[in-house]
Amino acid sequence: MVPVEHNGRTVEQATRCECVRQLQTGRLLEAARIPRRYRHCELSNFEHEGPFRSLASAYMASLRFVKEFPLENAGLLLVGPIGCGKTHLAVGIAKELISQKSTACLFYDYRELLKEIQNSYNASVQVTEMDVLRPVFDAEVLVLDELGAAKPTEWVWDTVSHILNTRYNDKRTTIITTNFPDLPPAATESEGRAARASRDETLGDRIGERMRSRLHEMCRVVRVEGEDFRMKYKSASLR
């Protein structure tokens, strides 16, 4: 029992004890499937000052997202080069939502999710496609890491379209990271072959322009601007 103010007077009210809250948080963290590699990632230890000050705006957007959820159910599309901290931010957001708001979150690497779906087609595996997809559809917050990393095929496009459209229609929140520039397909028929060859692939190239457009309805775009932290700083520390 704890004292609370009610209609100008103090009354006692029952509340869950801290140990129960910690147990619930632990269960939600385990169910989130955060890989061991990223379990140290917190918003509190995300570098955004000094040499990393270019990441400050993305960090502040992440804090604001946690504060506004679930009143604002639009997701985030974290866009930036390899190694600049997008996954750290996405995992940090999920962990804050779990600890602060008891939100059921689920982490999936884009390529691993596609592999699990493909494996479900094997007759010797006792897992159906819907067994894999149902938790992805139903997660209150889905973190989909490295969108576009798998080689684009018609099956890949259809699958990612099915996942994102289902979550969009059910008003589920999705946090997405991608290393590809948030631009339309670069390889248009109007471009010459040499011009196409010299341009980097875009998110539109990897997932299709229709799906990229849908992402803009589902998510706020956050640019994560910075150098490859893993190459520049982690490698240097090992020398």
Side-chain angles (χ1 to χ4, degrees):
M1 304 297 291
V2 295
V4 296
E5 292 294 324
H6 181 69
N7 292 334
R9 61 192 184 91
T10 301
V11 298
E12 288 202 335
Q13 178 176 296
T15 186
R16 289 189 175 188
C17 60
E18 182 64 19
C19 59
V20 172
R21 191 187 68 80
Q22 289 178 358
L23 284 171
Q24 182 182 29
T25 297
R27 287 194 294 267
L28 288 171
L29 281 172
E30 188 66 27
R33 295 173 45 110
I34 296 171
R36 185 174 299 175
R37 177 185 297 275
Y38 303 122
R39 288 186 183 174
H40 71 284
C41 296
E42 313 270 355
L43 290 185
S44 61
N45 61 22
F46 182 76
E47 298 279 3
H48 61 283
E49 297 178 341
F52 308 102
R53 58 184 175 274
S54 63
L55 299 171
S57 61
Y59 170 73
M60 295 304 296
S62 300
L63 291 179
R64 186 165 60 251
F65 177 87
V66 172
K67 181 179 180 181
E68 294 175 352
F69 185 87
L71 296 178
E72 174 57 68
N73 66 2
L76 294 178
L77 175 59
L78 302 171
V79 180
I82 295 171
C84 65
K86 300 182 300 297
T87 302
H88 188 138
L89 283 174
V91 170
I93 290 169
K95 291 171 80 170
E96 286 295 315
L97 292 176
I98 289 171
S99 62
Q100 290 187 26
K101 303 187 177 183
S102 297
T103 303
C105 299
L106 181 64
F107 178 101
Y108 254 111
D109 178 273
Y110 177 67
R111 291 160 297 191
E112 290 302 317
L113 175 57
L114 293 176
K115 286 180 182 177
E116 285 194 26
I117 296 170
Q118 286 178 323
N119 287 341
S120 72
Y121 303 152
N122 189 331
S124 66
V125 177
Q126 300 300 311
V127 176
T128 68
E129 181 180 16
M130 193 49 64
D131 289 335
V132 177
L133 287 175
R134 180 53 59 196
V136 175
F137 291 157
D138 292 345
E140 194 170 356
V141 174
L142 172 68
V143 175
L144 191 57
D145 194 38
E146 295 203 27
L147 180 66
K151 182 179 178 180
T153 65
E154 286 297 326
W155 179 84
V156 167
W157 284 9
D158 287 345
T159 302
V160 71
S161 175
H162 183 39
I163 292 169
L164 295 179
N165 277 327
T166 299
R167 292 189 59 80
Y168 174 79
N169 291 333
D170 291 343
K171 296 186 176 180
R172 303 287 191 184
T173 299
T174 309
I175 299 171
I176 294 169
T177 76
T178 184
N179 300 325
F180 294 94
D182 178 33
L183 295 169
T188 61
E189 292 183 4
S190 61
E191 291 180 305
R193 181 176 300 177
R196 292 199 299 270
S198 65
R199 293 181 62 174
D200 292 331
E201 283 190 291
T202 67
L203 188 58
D205 286 319
R206 302 298 290 191
I207 67 171
E209 182 58 16
R210 179 181 299 177
M211 203 63 251
R212 190 182 79 93
S213 177
R214 174 51 52 86
L215 284 183
H216 282 220
E217 298 178 62
M218 297 174 62
C219 302
R220 285 179 283 178
V221 178
V222 175
R223 312 284 177 185
V224 186
E225 308 287 352
E227 299 180 77
D228 187 336
F229 173 80
R230 290 174 298 206
M231 288 291 291
K232 183 173 182 178
Y233 296 95
K234 293 294 186 182
S235 297
S237 68
L238 296 176
R239 296 192 185 115

